[in-house]
Amino acid sequence: SPSSWLGRLRKGLSRTGQTIGGLFVGVRVDEALFEELESALIVADTGVAATSMLLDALRTRVKQDKIEDAEAVRQALVQILGDHLRVLEKPFVVGQVTPLVVMIAGVNGAGKTTSIGKLAFTLQKQGAKVLLAAGDTFRAAARQQLVEWGDRNNVTVIAQDGGDSAAVAFDAVNAGRARGMDVVMVDTAGRLPTQLHLMDELKKIRRVIAKADPQAPHEVLLVVDGNTGQNVLSQIKAFDEAIGLTGLIVTKLDGTAKGGTLAAVAAASRGVRPIPVYWIGVGEGIEDLQPFVADEFARALVA
Ligand code: GDP
């Protein structure tokens, strides 16, 4: 139910013991409050740029509206943070092109396989016919995990023992078209044997997908672990430069105190093409993938 995943999100984001919202309880609105808030945002991995942007906006609002009550300041912060995060909000649209080809990348351990399973489940529940390509041909366990998951959930998985990932992706796009699928999701490797380069491999998969369908991949998603903190920015940049990202899935937000990272991502998106957060992971279960809603996230972070 929505309340339970929101609760998990809220609990995860306030793991430091001291919640950000807690700063506003029973205190006066003075400089000390702003300073405490500044530290709390930095600790939550909001980053220097986003933190000062948010605090400037908040100070201005407090002055303009002559806010004297700390709870009213907290509410103003929720609103300002929600507005700030809105640049990352975008619905994930299925059905405009068929099959929609979705290439999914991410470093090992980020939650890629789990997220692909959850996403397939979610889209199938919405009535879409989904086909998966087990493109992580370097990790037998990942392939096996995806195949087993597909069996359990009646989702066809295109796999190949130790084959070439690009060939698996190519076959999957063709199979998707031939079988009238709505969505083809292509998993990719998160790490390669040392002599090979991940970004080169991903670029190759992208090129080969386009050989099967010149418009594809329509979506190129990066799965990132919400616990990564500020490093998430360099990860996004590196993958974007290599394969041109169209969206993010941010996982493990049910267990991180670094929820401010999304504010840093939003700050980095200013003046450049924003890469939206289509989905957030809030648990290990199949239903624990939720669309990213800026206001909801802001309320949870400043609870
Ligand atoms: P991959 O190596 O990127 O494919 O990562 P996996 O999908 O295998 O996930 C790594 C671990 O993270 C597994 O134990 C998952 O259950 C866990 N995981 C993935 N997403 C989430 C999430 O949103 N919340 C939590 N709590 N755990 C997650």
Side-chain angles (χ1 to χ4, degrees):
S1 70
S3 57
S4 75
W5 76 259
L6 266 176
R8 272 203 308 281
L9 173 63
R10 188 167 292 135
K11 210 162 141 203
L13 295 177
S14 57
R15 261 207 165 178
T16 40
Q18 169 78 294
T19 65
I20 296 182
L23 296 176
F24 297 90
V25 178
V27 298
R28 280 197 314 228
V29 180
D30 56 13
E31 191 47 34
L33 175 61
F34 285 106
E35 275 167 23
E36 290 224 30
L37 177 58
E38 181 170 23
S39 323
L41 287 171
I42 295 286
V43 170
D45 253 306
T46 308
V48 175
T51 297
S52 71
M53 213 185 279
L54 292 168
L55 275 172
D56 285 353
L58 186 62
R59 283 176 202 274
T60 306
R61 176 80 59 87
V62 166
K63 207 178 273 173
Q64 262 171 8
D65 296 356
K66 300 190 172 60
I67 301 176
E68 290 173 355
D69 169 47
E71 169 56 19
V73 178
R74 191 189 69 81
Q75 284 169 16
L77 176 62
V78 170
Q79 211 177 66
I80 287 166
L81 186 61
D83 289 344
H84 174 73
L85 291 169
R86 195 148 301 119
V87 68
L88 301 177
E89 199 180 86
K90 191 180 175 188
F92 188 82
V93 179
V94 170
Q96 283 184 345
V97 276
T98 46
L100 181 79
V101 178
V102 186
M103 176 175 169
I104 304 186
V107 299
N108 281 358
K112 192 160 49 71
T113 313
T114 309
S115 297
I116 288 173
K118 290 174 181 175
L119 187 52
F121 174 83
T122 303
L123 297 177
Q124 227 181 15
K125 217 169 59 175
Q126 291 169 3
K129 282 188 282 182
V130 180
L131 182 108
L132 299 183
D136 187 353
T137 52
F138 295 91
R139 228 174 18 153
R143 185 173 65 242
Q144 193 53 33
Q145 198 183 332
L146 209 59
V147 169
E148 280 170 16
W149 185 90
D151 287 345
R152 272 203 310 277
N153 293 280
N154 269 318
V155 173
T156 308
V157 179
I158 304 279
Q160 204 180 79
D161 268 346
D164 175 36
S165 336
V168 173
F170 185 81
D171 287 351
V173 175
N174 284 328
R177 197 184 302 126
R179 298 180 198 181
M181 291 287 156
D182 298 302
V183 182
V184 175
M185 272 197 262
V186 180
D187 189 14
T188 61
R191 195 174 297 137
L192 298 181
T194 43
Q195 68 277 23
L196 298 171
H197 294 288
L198 181 60
M199 294 306 172
D200 291 339
E201 168 81 11
L202 294 175
K203 283 184 199 170
K204 179 176 146 197
I205 294 172
R206 207 198 144 110
R207 273 199 312 274
V208 170
I209 287 176
K211 287 214 161 63
D213 174 351
Q215 303 302 317
H218 307 93
E219 298 280 0
V220 181
L221 309 185
L222 179 68
V223 178
V224 289
D225 181 338
N227 289 295
T228 316
Q230 289 288 299
N231 282 336
V232 99
L233 295 175
S234 47
Q235 226 178 77
I236 292 171
K237 189 162 180 281
F239 279 87
D240 188 37
E241 277 168 9
I243 50 173
L245 299 177
T246 64
L248 305 172
I249 296 177
V250 183
T251 63
K252 308 185 196 181
L253 289 171
D254 53 308
T256 182
K258 298 184 172 182
T261 310
L262 285 190
V265 174
S269 305
R270 295 220 163 181
V272 297
R273 175 184 61 95
I275 302 169
V277 176
Y278 283 126
W279 307 95
I280 57 173
V282 290
E284 295 188 86
I286 192 83
E287 308 211 28
D288 296 330
L289 188 77
Q290 298 291 332
F292 172 72
V293 180
D295 286 332
E296 240 164 35
F297 194 85
R299 270 199 301 276
L301 189 62
V302 192

